[in-house]
Amino acid sequence: MVAVRGDEPLILTTGADDQSGVAALPSGPFDPVRHRTFEIGLRAWVAEQTGAPLGYVEQLYTFGDRGRHARAGDRDPHVVSIGYLALTRIGDDSRRPANGAWRSWHDFFPWEDWRKARPEIIETTILPGLRDWVAEAPNAVSAPTLSRRHRVDLLFGARGFNEENVLERYELLYEAGMVEEALRDGREAAARRRRLEPLGLPMRHDHRRILATAMGRLRAKMKYRPVIFELMPEAFTLTELQRTVEAIAGRHLHKQNFRRLVETSAIVEPTGEMSLKTGGRPAALFHFRRNVLQERPSPGLRVGIRS
């Protein structure tokens, strides 16, 4: 569940069921007797368990890999999860959910926030650790046709920041044994490390991988579908819209270029009213122009992928 408050992208988290304090994504069992479809069950479960409002929902992926619930010698059934991406609106005065808390997704992925500059953690912690991993087997192919060195350069090098590759960056760090989940899952690369530098907060089971999948999906989808408006109030200024797009994309956008993009896309229209909350000159209020959905097949905000 994703929301934006001010400049911060937020996700709804719950506490761990083992009282360890490790954050988790809201989840619950599907009851085929009570619910005809997965989505009906999802909406009912979220309403009952969190009390948080649920707007736009889409199915994300099926998750069943190692790192979920199974442990060596465990004879319990292996749990497979159907992941969903949900968007909702919350205000500055929104009450705390009945079960859980809104947390910045940058608490879990600090290397994904490029709005001010290239994150310092990449130079101080991530690249030194990845260089050691590459040096262990410089010619090893760790993905189809890609060497370790090539993957590091592609995902964390100086070529630029492709904001959609959230999952690929996390999986590289996991494979290199640099995140706590890799140590917890018994990855040899993590076991060989003398000391594991903290790289964002861990999550229960494979929930951080699920979150990475959702972040990449949302960053890509807002370029060709108007999903960003599911996070906006009914009326907003162009500055508020830009800040929300930047929060999700994790990158700074040039103000004039962004406004030109919005203008040429014809995706919003003025309400005829002004906002007095800017602290300076009154700013025009806009709303999403829903007719754009009938006018063309891909009405999104095509923000670029390079800084």
Side-chain angles (χ1 to χ4, degrees):
M1 292 183 64
V2 179
V4 174
R5 179 186 287 138
D7 293 337
E8 207 57 53
L10 305 175
I11 59 164
L12 185 62
T13 64
T14 63
D17 53 7
D18 58 4
Q19 303 301 312
S20 67
V22 178
L25 298 174
S27 60
F30 171 65
D31 186 344
V33 176
R34 293 178 56 202
H35 306 120
R36 181 172 55 86
T37 68
F38 282 164
E39 185 171 331
I40 291 173
L42 169 78
R43 290 182 179 275
W45 187 89
V46 169
E48 292 171 6
Q49 298 295 322
T50 73
L54 197 59
Y56 172 90
V57 171
E58 69 169 83
Q59 193 171 121
L60 187 63
Y61 194 73
T62 300
F63 299 88
D65 293 349
R66 181 180 178 184
R68 311 219 72 244
H69 300 260
R71 291 289 184 271
D74 187 358
R75 297 183 179 275
D76 291 335
H78 184 64
V79 176
V80 174
S81 293
I82 309 297
Y84 282 81
L85 169 63
L87 308 180
T88 190
R89 301 180 178 98
I90 60 172
D92 293 337
D93 57 349
S94 296
R95 292 179 297 176
R96 180 187 176 95
N99 178 26
W102 291 104
R103 298 282 301 270
S104 170
W105 72 25
H106 293 135
D107 291 347
F108 307 97
F109 294 92
W111 57 88
E112 292 293 335
D113 188 1
W114 288 60
R115 287 174 293 177
K116 294 182 180 179
R118 179 180 169 90
E120 184 179 355
I121 195 172
I122 294 178
E123 302 298 333
T124 60
T125 306
I126 290 177
L127 282 179
L130 288 176
R131 290 186 186 116
D132 290 343
W133 178 66
V134 169
E136 292 173 2
N139 299 317
V141 176
S142 58
T145 73
L146 294 179
S147 68
R148 290 185 177 186
R149 190 185 307 279
H150 189 181
R151 287 178 68 196
V152 170
D153 183 51
L154 184 66
L155 296 172
F156 287 103
R159 296 185 179 185
F161 171 59
N162 186 330
E163 67 270 19
E164 297 178 23
N165 291 340
V166 186
L167 179 61
E168 290 82 354
R169 281 186 285 272
Y170 175 73
E171 288 185 331
L172 177 63
L173 295 173
Y174 180 92
E175 187 176 338
M178 294 181 62
V179 292
E180 188 170 322
E181 288 89 339
L183 182 62
R184 191 176 63 202
D185 294 346
R187 296 283 300 196
E188 291 184 11
R192 287 196 301 267
R193 291 185 171 276
R194 296 180 180 178
R195 187 163 60 96
L196 195 64
E197 296 286 346
L199 287 180
L201 298 178
M203 300 188 83
R204 189 198 307 171
H205 306 309
D206 61 345
H207 289 198
R208 193 153 48 149
R209 182 173 182 265
I210 296 174
L211 175 55
T213 306
M215 290 169 63
R217 170 76 65 85
L218 182 54
R219 286 175 168 184
K221 191 153 193 171
M222 72 176 182
K223 298 175 184 179
Y224 62 89
R225 297 298 296 171
V227 292
I228 197 70
F229 298 101
E230 300 291 340
L231 302 169
M232 303 295 300
E234 289 299 321
F236 48 83
T237 67
L238 292 184
T239 296
E240 290 170 335
L241 178 59
Q242 179 174 343
R243 288 167 59 189
T244 301
V245 172
E246 289 176 333
I248 297 300
R251 61 166 58 253
H252 172 71
L253 302 172
H254 186 275
K255 181 177 179 179
Q256 295 306 319
N257 289 346
F258 177 79
R259 297 199 172 201
R260 192 177 303 114
L261 173 66
V262 171
E263 181 180 344
T264 56
S265 69
I267 204 168
V268 302
E269 60 186 0
T271 65
E273 300 179 350
M274 307 292 286
S275 172
L276 303 178
K277 299 187 299 182
T278 60
R281 295 173 56 185
L285 286 169
F286 293 78
H287 61 204
F288 171 50
R289 194 173 70 84
R290 298 193 176 275
N291 287 345
V292 75
L293 295 170
Q294 284 76 49
E295 295 170 359
R296 60 180 189 273
S298 301
L301 290 173
R302 298 180 182 277
V303 294
I305 64 171
R306 291 200 177 275
S307 301

